[in-house]
Amino acid sequence: MGSKSSAMEGLVLCLVAISVQVLVVAGVHRRPPALYVFGDSILDVGNNNYLPGEDVPRANRPYYGIDFPGMIPTGRFSNGYNTADYLAKSMGFVVSPPPHLSLPPTTSSLVALTAGGVSYASASAGILDSTNAGKCAPLSRLVEYFNATRAKMVAAVGSGAVDALLLKSIFLLGVGSNDLFVFAAAQQSRNRTPAERQSDAAALLADLLSNYSATITDLHAMGARKFAITNLGLLGCVPALRALDPAGACVDGLNQLAAGFNDALRSLLAGLAPRLPGLVYSLADSFSLTRDTFADPQASGYTDIAGACCGSGRLLAEGDCLPNSTVCSSRDQHVFWDRYHPSQRASLLTAQAFYDGPAQYTTPINFMQLAQSS
């Protein structure tokens, strides 16, 4: 029995190695061989389902997934698919890469190669380890997950095949929102002068960008070359924060902080590209896309840009989306699904804009050009 198992494993490894070489050498499909996803709840396809702890945020209950095939709550913080799903489909993948924590340890390398990549994204994750500590896998751990996957891939098919695969693969990053949410909430409870608040914000941004730089540098050292990166949207306009204002207004201070992060991230990437050989990136502008959408919601078919579609209380944004929550019927007309996360349709339109949409939403190239570049 043992010899049969070994023979079968050897055959599988051989087939995997061949498939990698075909994907890399032929290149006829103009589709990247794999997609590796790092980020928070906007991109998480179910990793948090497998994290221990009662405080871990999970979307494995109704009404999450109400519009997903089979009405299954998969762990996506959406009524259906999320942005990672639609970007994967746009790039030519049949489905989004599977969550890393769902993969059996002994076969994760094989799945990573044959299924087109892995998603490491974790809801509530931050760039800083301290952000929502104990409730998620922070960015640094996501990179560790990938490094472990890579090691298993190398053990299975050799470093040459893995390096060739990663050279053409896409590394999708979208993270930072939770760091700013946590920072803003902490600042509210502190008696700080305006000058001190400005100093605190500057120190935060410096820490965030330092960690972001280290992440990209580390992934590059592991073989990553193509980076699809999303910046931060209008964080101060999520329903949970609008519900706190009598007029339902956005929190301008948080939006300004997000804008500051985005400016620094753009400069960081422009500076890293010449220093890291072979690095190519596309930076997607969630901030401008959200701002333009809010300025003319009807152009995108929205009738509600302020409230949640599943929740409770004012704007359905004072409580989480739960099995006993109120659920709107016009989900495609809402920008937001729950207190913090976009609806399935908003995720679709976001992916379309970043993949091959108007030029102002990506720089220096769009995601399609990145995916199809040699």
Side-chain angles (χ1 to χ4, degrees), residues 18 23 25 35 81 87 132 137 141 156 175 218 221 235 246 278 282 286 292 301 316 327 335 347 363 369:
I18 293 173
L23 278 172
V25 174
L35 173 65
Y81 291 109
L87 285 174
N132 295 322
R141 197 187 310 169
V175 65
D218 289 347
L235 303 184
S282 174
S286 299
D292 293 348
L316 292 186
V327 181
V335 171
S347 296
T363 185
Q369 293 168 322

Side-chain angles (χ1 to χ4, degrees), residues 23-103:
L23 278 172
V24 172
V25 174
V28 295
H29 298 296
R30 304 290 290 173
R31 189 211 80 181
L35 173 65
Y36 299 95
V37 183
F38 305 78
D40 52 32
S41 54
I42 302 298
L43 302 177
D44 186 2
V45 293
N47 274 304
N48 274 27
N49 290 349
Y50 303 91
L51 288 175
E54 296 182 359
D55 294 333
V56 174
R58 301 182 181 91
N60 57 354
R61 62 179 184 272
Y63 289 97
Y64 289 105
I66 189 173
D67 295 312
F68 196 85
M71 299 179 67
I72 301 172
T74 61
R76 292 165 172 81
F77 284 78
S78 169
N79 53 306
Y81 291 109
N82 66 14
T83 304
D85 292 310
Y86 287 119
L87 285 174
K89 290 173 182 288
S90 296
M91 292 179 188
F93 297 96
V94 177
V95 295
S96 179
H100 166 71
L101 296 179
S102 72
L103 303 177

Side-chain angles (χ1 to χ4, degrees), residues 5 8-10 12-13 16 100-114 148-149 151-157:
S5 176
M8 180 59 70
E9 182 179 357
V12 171
L13 294 179
V16 169
H100 166 71
L101 296 179
S102 72
L103 303 177
T106 56
T107 59
S108 61
S109 60
L110 304 184
V111 174
L113 291 169
T114 58
T149 300
K152 292 176 182 177
M153 292 161 62
V154 170
V157 300

